[in-house]
Every structure is written in C-alpha cells, then in structure tokens.
Amino acid sequence: MERQRNISEFVLLGLSYDQNVQIFCFVLFLFSYVALLAGNLLILVSIRCSPLFHQPMYYFLIHLSSMDICYTSTVTPKLIADLLGGTKTISYGDCMLQVFAMHFFGSIEVFILTVMAFDRYAAICKPLHYMLTMNRTRCHLLVLAAWAGGVLHSLPQLMMTIQLPFCGPNELDHYFCDIFPLLKVACTDTYITGVLVVANSGMVALVTFVVLFVSYVIILFSLRHHSAEGRHKALSTCGSHITVVILFFGPSIFAYLRPPTTFPEDKVFALFYTIIAPMFNPLIYTLRNTEMKNAMRRVWCQTLFSKAAHS
C-alpha cells in the first residue's frame, strides 16, 4: 500500500477562493452548526426526560438526532476551520477516516428514516396491533439493524478507497474527502471502482427513497378512512418526515446515482445533505409536532422552576 501512495496529505480547494465569500460562509456555517447542535441536543434531552421516550417514534427520533450530530460533525468543524485558515489540507489518514465516517453515519441516518416510516405505517395502518408490532425489543433490533447496515455500506466504500494509488496531484475540488473527488486524482483507471461506488451508494439512496416514497403513499391513502382530527394529526407527523426525506435524499441521489464523475455543483448539493438538512431536522420535528412542543415546555419549565426553588 505504501508503494502505491506517494502523498501524505490532500489539499481541499473548498467552496470559494473569494475572501469575502469565505467570511460569509464561515459566519453562516458556524451559526448553522451551533443551531444544529443546540436543536438536536434540545430534542435528545427533552425526549429522554419525558414520557415520550417510551413511544417508538420518539425513541427513533433520539437516534436520528444523535446521527445528525455525528454525521455533520465529520465535516462541518473542519470546513469552518478551513474557511478561516490559509491552505486547506487534510492528512491521508484523516481523509480515509472522513470517507468512512461520512458514509457510516449517513447510511445509519438513511436506515433510521426508513425505520421511522415503518413505524408510522404500523401506527396509522395497523393501529390495533401497533404496540405489539413496535415493542421495545423490536425497536432495539431495528436500530441495531440500521447500525449493521451502516457498517455493511461504509466498509466496502473504505476498502475501495484505500486501495486507490495516489502518486500525482493531491488537490480535491471539494470541502471534504469523498470518493468521487478522490477517484479523480487517483493515478489509475477508476472506471470499475466508480461503477461499484454508484452501485453501492447510489442504489442505497435510490432503494431507500423508493421504499420511503411507497410507504408514505400507502399511509396517505389509508388516511381516507380516518376522522378529520386523526387525518390532521397523521398528516402533521408524516409531513415532517416527508420534508426531511426530500431535503436529504434529493441531493444525495443527485450526488451518487450518476456516472462516476465530478461537477462544480456537487459542493452546493453536498451542503444540503451534510449541513442544511441536519440543521432543519430539529425545527421540522418540533415546530410541527404538538407532543414534542409540550414535552419540551414541561421539561424545561420544570428545570427552570427547580433551579429557581434551589436559589
């Protein structure tokens, strides 16, 4: 492996060479990252300290928020630091780690979104059997399956990447290490590797999106038989999920389900699934969810009240 690799680091070209654009992006992404951390931590604490934790949907939402934090943290802190620095470099080892972590946490998030769609299907279409179908043991197994799916998806990606020989240019036209930019600077024919990446990442994104789309069509179709109040509540919950799915999967499918090449637009689309969608998840799941808002109000009001009482 060492014979095939004559470089020890990569240079990330980033989002723009313009200093003013870099300062604007620094402020924007720093705010986005802080908002993402605060929002997802708020969801984690609010659910964990309320009875909602025992409901399957919110149990999965805790895991989704955790994945949002882990997934975005593999890219955003480095991006923010690079926007203030001069030369944007990343070591070979850190680059390979970033490739693995991005695909690992990203695929777990995809599978948890799929599990949440199954949960909504069971709740709306099979309400009498819901608690039996989505018992806590099954919830644990579904989350474990999502993690196992993350390993099965990301390990082949990493193995394909570390076998690439790098002996010439080391500039990646991106703001993080991803497989397509790495294929572009590898000093070998990468056509087969590119096809395998599309078959892996592209098909994971497409198949899960189709499964999610079909499941929500079935759910919306079954709502015809519900009362107006039941339809409103179900549509509110499903609407949140559908919004997250569109924000995450649209750019992901564009990025990976296509011939293995790079486009200037890749960096813009990558911002959607690495920063923007995870940042909006807390807003989408809280502002449109009455149970979540009530739980947050109770938890944080009790916390403030107890602090005031002690003081």
Side-chain angles (χ1 to χ4, degrees), residues 31 38 55 62 88 101 166 170 182 208-209 249-250 267 286:
F31 169 78
Q55 295 184 32
I62 274 189
K88 307 166 181 63
F166 299 102
N170 66 338
L182 286 166
T208 49
F209 178 75
F249 278 90
K267 290 183 278 190
T286 54

Side-chain angles (χ1 to χ4, degrees), residues 74-89:
T74 63
V75 171
T76 310
K78 168 72 175 161
L79 169 62
I80 292 170
D82 284 346
L83 286 167
L84 280 186
T87 304
K88 307 166 181 63
T89 60

